[in-house]
Amino acid sequence: DAGITQSPRHKVTETGTPVTLRCHQTENHRYMYWYRQDPGHGLRLIHYSYGVKDTDKGEVSDGYSVSRSKTEDFLLTLESATSSQTSVYFCAISLSGGPNYGYTFGSGTRLTVV
Amino acid sequence: RKEVEQDPGPFNVPEGATVAFNCTYSNSASQSFFWYRQDCRKEPKLLMSVYSSGNEDGRFTAQLNRASQYISLLIRDSKLSDSATYLCVVESFQKLVFGTGTRLLVSP
């Protein structure tokens, strides 16, 4: 068990409100990732982090920000939620410090923006 | 064009059948390749890595053809529990890119 947990598991929020999703890992892995999954698009990378305070944008970063002030926590913030951000959000960690051995995913957060 | 392309299916097969999924990728510099399995409303889980020499894990065989930029997954003697979505995953510029998945339904 890679010790990765996401919270909340489900959330319904209103358009225009800020929302923060949390990803917590217990094993000191350096690389962490946020993906969203939507029908017809598969998993798309939002942001990723390669260490404390080191983050970078992925493919679909508009409308999202991230923070990593501690190794164990990677936060994803929707600055002003829109209906197009209704999705399932997955956090992932790299066990090897890169992509070469794959990623392990958290259980996901199902977000609905109404 | 998507970086990783898969036939979405669904593939409907009876128990005991052999089924094959294919995937193509666009970045010729990609170095790492995987198949993930995703059950309905669950997170993706690593099924197996894919190597140029081909690799087998029980009933599952994965193959990579770098020249054609093509990856395959073969499942022999399908079980009901194999019903899931299978995601083709390719490393591209040091990050993993996921295909949209191929859905497999195994029936009694």
Side-chain angles (χ1 to χ4, degrees):
Chain A
D1 183 3
I4 180 170
T5 55
Q6 291 185 234
S7 58
R9 292 295 309 277
H10 301 271
K11 186 168 181 68
V12 179
T13 193
E14 293 187 350
T15 299
T17 60
V19 177
T20 296
L21 309 182
R22 181 183 184 231
C23 179
H24 178 78
Q25 54 131 338
T26 58
E27 298 186 11
N28 217 33
H29 296 293
R30 186 177 161 201
Y31 286 79
M32 299 182 75
Y33 307 83
W34 276 108
Y35 283 84
R36 61 178 288 175
Q37 187 173 34
D38 305 287
H41 291 280
L43 284 147
R44 292 180 291 173
L45 183 64
I46 305 171
H47 280 280
Y48 62 102
S49 169
Y50 38 96
V52 172
K53 298 194 191 314
D54 286 327
T55 65
D56 207 346
K57 295 180 180 181
E59 177 189 0
V60 290
S61 59
D62 287 348
Y64 301 95
S65 62
V66 289
S67 67
R68 188 139 177 233
S69 57
K70 299 184 290 184
T71 299
E72 58 266 34
D73 288 324
F74 191 29
L75 305 180
L76 177 71
T77 297
L78 287 65
E79 293 140 10
S80 176
T82 67
S83 58
S84 65
Q85 293 176 311
T86 292
S87 187
V88 181
Y89 292 86
F90 287 103
C91 175
I93 58 174
S94 165
L95 300 180
S96 67
N100 296 329
Y101 294 94
Y103 300 162
T104 297
F105 285 85
S107 300
T109 294
R110 202 164 285 273
L111 178 69
T112 303
V113 183
V114 298
Chain B
R1 183 190 170 194
K2 291 182 178 177
E3 274 201 78
V4 179
E5 301 221 43
Q6 296 181 250
D7 180 344
F11 284 54
N12 290 284
V13 302
E15 268 186 296
T18 295
V19 61
F21 306 138
N22 302 319
C23 162
T24 58
Y25 62 96
S26 60
N27 183 355
S28 60
S30 294
Q31 295 295 319
S32 301
F33 308 88
F34 309 92
W35 283 101
Y36 274 70
R37 171 194 167 124
Q38 187 172 25
D39 294 293
C40 189
R41 302 179 77 83
K42 298 285 190 181
E43 72 272 25
K45 292 186 177 177
L46 180 62
L47 179 65
M48 58 197 305
S49 301
V50 188
Y51 306 114
S52 296
S53 55
N55 50 302
E56 189 173 309
D57 183 2
R59 298 181 292 110
F60 298 82
T61 300
Q63 293 274 354
L64 168 64
N65 183 321
R66 286 188 184 272
S68 303
Q69 294 178 214
Y70 163 99
I71 303 161
S72 65
L73 177 68
L74 183 77
I75 305 175
R76 291 180 298 279
D77 188 23
S78 298
K79 311 291 185 192
L80 295 176
S81 58
D82 293 334
S83 296
T85 297
Y86 291 83
L87 308 176
C88 176
V89 184
V90 175
E91 173 269 332
S92 181
F93 303 106
Q94 287 294 303
K95 292 182 286 295
L96 294 188
V97 179
F98 288 75
T100 53
T102 299
R103 192 163 172 224
L104 172 65
L105 299 171
V106 182
S107 54

